[in-house]
Amino acid sequence: MNEYGSLTRVAVRGPKAAYRDAEAIASEWEALRFHSAPELTAAETEHAFFVQCLKDAGAEVIQLPEGKHLLWIVSTPGTRSS
């Protein structure tokens, strides 16, 4: 595992699973330190394009489910090799 080789498998979490709905966005975006509230429809469009780019490059894309603790796991110090 490294950060410079070709991607073969990528885990992603779609905006609908991450943001859930407009009410959740309105109550959480500032605490997540976003500069402004995400636009769910635009995020879904961008995410679909990104996933297709990954697939076109030959990567296996794994869709992660909704879950509050996924962000904590990914952002916890020590979860990435440096």
Side-chain angles (χ1 to χ4, degrees):
M1 185 166 129
N2 61 57
E3 295 185 6
Y4 52 85
S6 297
L7 291 173
T8 57
R9 188 177 306 145
V10 181
V12 298
R13 186 190 208 189
K16 192 72 171 168
Y19 301 138
R20 296 179 309 281
D21 55 37
E23 186 176 306
I25 291 171
S27 69
E28 297 174 358
W29 72 269
E30 290 177 291
L32 294 172
R33 299 178 183 248
F34 288 11
H35 295 286
S36 61
E39 295 180 25
L40 188 54
T41 302
E44 288 174 326
T45 300
E46 291 175 15
H47 178 75
F49 179 75
F50 178 64
V51 167
Q52 190 57 53
C53 288
L54 292 169
K55 289 178 179 180
D56 291 347
E60 173 189 357
V61 178
I62 301 164
Q63 295 286 343
L64 296 174
E66 181 178 328
K68 290 177 82 172
H69 302 293
L70 288 174
L71 181 60
W72 178 83
I73 292 168
V74 172
S75 63
T76 301
T79 58
R80 290 179 59 212
S81 298
S82 354

